[in-house]
Amino acid sequence: EDQVTQSPEALRLQEGESSSLNCSYTVSGLRGLFWYRQDPGKGPEFLFTLYSAGEEKEKERLKATLTKKESFLHITAPKPEDSATYLCAVQAVIQGAQKLVFGQGTRLTINP
Amino acid sequence: KAGVTQTPRYLIKTRGQQVTLSCSPISGHRSVSWYQQTPGQGLQFLFEYFSETQRNKGNFPGRFSGRQFSNSRSEMNVSTLELGDSALYLCASSSKPSGTLEAFFGQGTRLTVV
């Protein structure tokens, strides 16, 4: 079964304390991997798209990397405003149709 | 450039009723996808429309249906509401089908079934 698993479920860091979030996937026919940020009561906000193993993307304090089986979202020297749920989604061909499959998300809290 | 607009933002309905949610995509985007988000199940794909045609469908019962108009606006309908249908319903638009490029989400409609 095609699956996307994110870990940890929740992560609490001090301001400035760098860490990484993990997204592992078991899908066939991977077409792309997406990272989103979601604030409470709002829709997900697009962050990155990764298409092939070895690819990296950066935006401010965030850096996303991709291997054949997983992706990491590295957060460097985070600030309280980085607190949010981070969602990973995989675009795959499932039963002949392209679909986005989301992980359950990692709830990140940055304490000042 | 206006983002994805979903209306209404909040809805309270009674079991057995039906509800229609609306989504206006980003101008020029022809793909609209619908998702249900709950604390237990996360984001689950409902269906996708591109140029007025349903391209993909998730594993939801037939009570969930949708359509897309010629101006790319989309509606989602849920009939015979159940308590378990309470969720945040999200719409996402993209310029190409099936999330080939990044999808942009609206703020969602919070549906509560009592």
Side-chain angles (χ1 to χ4, degrees):
Chain A
E1 182 184 339
D2 298 298
Q3 277 193 316
V4 179
T5 304
Q6 291 188 247
S7 61
E9 284 186 23
L11 181 62
R12 190 178 292 269
L13 301 171
Q14 289 299 121
E15 185 173 0
E17 181 184 359
S18 302
S19 187
S20 297
L21 313 183
N22 177 264
C23 170
S24 63
Y25 56 91
T26 54
V27 297
S28 56
L30 176 73
R31 298 297 177 91
L33 185 142
F34 302 83
W35 281 98
Y36 287 87
R37 168 196 169 125
Q38 187 174 26
D39 293 299
K42 296 189 175 182
E45 174 191 345
F46 170 77
L47 293 173
F48 303 109
T49 308
L50 301 166
Y51 289 107
S52 56
E55 191 174 357
E56 297 182 353
K57 294 273 180 74
E58 279 189 74
K59 179 180 179 180
E60 295 180 359
R61 295 177 291 283
L62 298 175
K63 178 179 172 181
T65 61
L66 181 65
T67 71
K68 287 187 177 179
K69 291 296 181 186
E70 58 190 350
S71 176
F72 292 93
L73 184 65
H74 308 278
I75 182 160
T76 302
K79 298 181 178 181
E81 53 262 42
D82 294 322
S83 297
T85 296
Y86 289 85
L87 296 165
C88 163
V90 169
Q91 186 202 5
V93 177
I94 300 171
Q95 296 176 331
Q98 291 193 60
K99 295 182 179 178
L100 268 183
V101 179
F102 278 85
Q104 295 283 61
T106 293
R107 190 171 63 255
L108 178 65
T109 304
I110 308 299
N111 295 317
Chain B
K1 188 174 182 181
V4 179
T5 304
Q6 291 189 245
T7 56
R9 289 293 312 278
Y10 303 93
L11 264 179
I12 299 177
K13 289 286 188 179
T14 304
R15 264 186 311 174
Q17 286 187 313
Q18 76 161 18
V19 67
T20 299
L21 312 181
S22 179
C23 171
S24 294
I26 291 171
S27 178
H29 283 192
R30 293 158 61 193
S31 169
V32 173
S33 298
W34 287 91
Y35 294 85
Q36 181 194 67
Q37 187 174 34
T38 59
Q41 300 295 320
L43 263 162
Q44 292 190 290
F45 172 75
L46 281 157
F47 30 66
E48 181 206 358
Y49 287 87
F50 184 82
S51 294
E52 301 179 67
T53 302
Q54 187 181 87
R55 287 179 55 90
N56 289 317
K57 192 175 189 304
N59 297 323
F60 279 81
R63 300 185 297 106
F64 292 82
S65 63
R67 59 177 175 169
Q68 187 179 33
F69 302 96
S70 58
N71 61 358
S72 293
R73 188 177 71 86
S74 178
E75 286 182 348
M76 189 191 94
N77 184 273
V78 188
S79 62
T80 320
L81 284 166
E82 301 177 358
L83 295 179
D85 296 333
S86 295
L88 180 66
Y89 289 87
L90 291 160
C91 155
S93 82
S94 179
S95 58
K96 291 188 177 181
S98 304
T100 310
L101 297 176
E102 57 268 21
F104 296 89
F105 284 82
Q107 297 279 55
T109 293
R110 172 73 62 185
L111 172 66
T112 302
V113 182
V114 297

